Amino acid sequence: ESNPTFLDYLQGGLQVNFTVAIDFTGSNGNPSDTDSLHYRDPNGQPNQYVTAIRAVGDIVQDYDSDKRFPSLGFGARIPPSLEASHEFFLTLDPNQPFCDKIEGVIAAYYNSLNTVQLSGPTNISPVINHVAGFASAHQSDASNYFVLLILTDGIITDFNETKEALINASSLPMSVIIVGVGDEDFSAMDILDGDRQGLSYKGQKAKR
């Protein structure tokens, strides 16, 4: 019985699509303060978000053939209306969701920091559902796989909605990586991976 590896799938033509989603909630701290997780050091030292983007992105990008990444933010007030958004493009251009390579993601991240207002709450189900929509469109042809990297600094506000989103996505060609940034208590995140007990909500159970 054949048991293909991840590389076998890639050699067979599978396309890996990598998406980044970054937490812009106020709990991260004012980007101009040195103790902020979003602090932009004038000497060029990367903050914790940039460090995390590079640590995961530099590995994953090698499996993405075009190295153009849709990049999202959540938990910020977006000009010109300054309404809170839990799903906006880092480019701040609704017609251009893609960033070129990881350095393009980081450049768009810094540009957003200079433009949006940190707000809240920490809702991550919208970005999961966003990527799940694309994964669903490719569910039948088995030609694409989607990886969503979520970087967040704290307790998820829409925890039940997030469980529901992950359960709905569990039958799709999609994986979600959640990285906790900073030193908050991230123990609640352990429930989401379903390692000890399969994820369930309202009678629905995750397929994997």
Side-chain angles (χ1 to χ4, degrees):
E1 181 178 331
S2 174
N3 187 19
T5 66
F6 180 55
L7 288 177
D8 288 332
Y9 280 103
L10 292 175
Q11 289 172 337
L14 179 71
Q15 296 294 312
V16 176
N17 303 275
F18 179 54
T19 302
V20 181
I22 299 175
D23 185 337
F24 283 84
T25 56
S27 56
N28 286 284
N30 190 319
S32 62
D33 295 339
T34 56
D35 58 352
S36 169
L37 296 172
H38 283 308
Y39 178 60
R40 187 166 188 178
D41 190 299
N43 298 318
Q45 288 296 318
N47 61 32
Q48 292 194 46
Y49 276 92
V50 173
T51 300
I53 292 169
R54 284 206 175 109
V56 180
D58 282 349
I59 296 170
V60 176
Q61 73 171 349
D62 287 337
Y63 299 103
D64 191 310
S65 60
D66 64 5
K67 293 180 173 49
R68 300 186 72 235
F69 309 122
S71 302
L72 305 168
F74 57 93
R77 296 186 181 277
I78 310 301
S81 65
L82 294 181
E83 290 185 6
S85 173
H86 304 293
E87 179 193 342
F88 63 90
F89 295 133
L90 285 189
T91 60
L92 300 177
D93 180 352
N95 298 314
Q96 181 51 268
F98 294 99
C99 300
D100 290 325
K101 303 182 180 178
I102 292 303
E103 290 308 313
V105 174
I106 293 171
Y109 157 69
Y110 279 136
N111 179 61
S112 286
L113 270 185
N114 293 332
T115 308
V116 305
Q117 295 180 6
L118 303 192
S119 181
T122 308
N123 293 346
I124 67 173
S125 61
V127 295
I128 295 173
N129 291 329
H130 177 95
V131 176
F134 291 100
S136 179
H138 289 277
Q139 190 173 14
S140 60
D141 62 19
S143 62
N144 284 262
Y145 195 85
F146 295 80
V147 178
L148 169 62
L149 169 65
I150 300 174
L151 305 174
T152 181
D153 81 314
I155 305 300
I156 299 172
T157 310
D158 62 338
F159 197 76
N160 286 333
E161 290 82 358
T162 295
K163 287 200 295 185
E164 189 172 27
L166 289 172
I167 290 168
N168 291 338
S170 66
S171 61
L172 300 176
M174 171 179 171
S175 291
V176 180
I177 304 168
I178 303 177
V179 176
V181 178
D183 54 8
E184 290 292 328
D185 179 8
F186 295 105
S187 56
M189 303 279 195
D190 292 338
I191 298 172
L192 298 178
D193 62 24
D195 283 351
R196 296 180 181 176
Q197 183 175 353
L199 202 60
S200 63
Y201 182 66
K202 289 185 176 179
Q204 300 294 316
K205 294 185 178 181
K207 301 292 190 298
R208 55 188 170 105

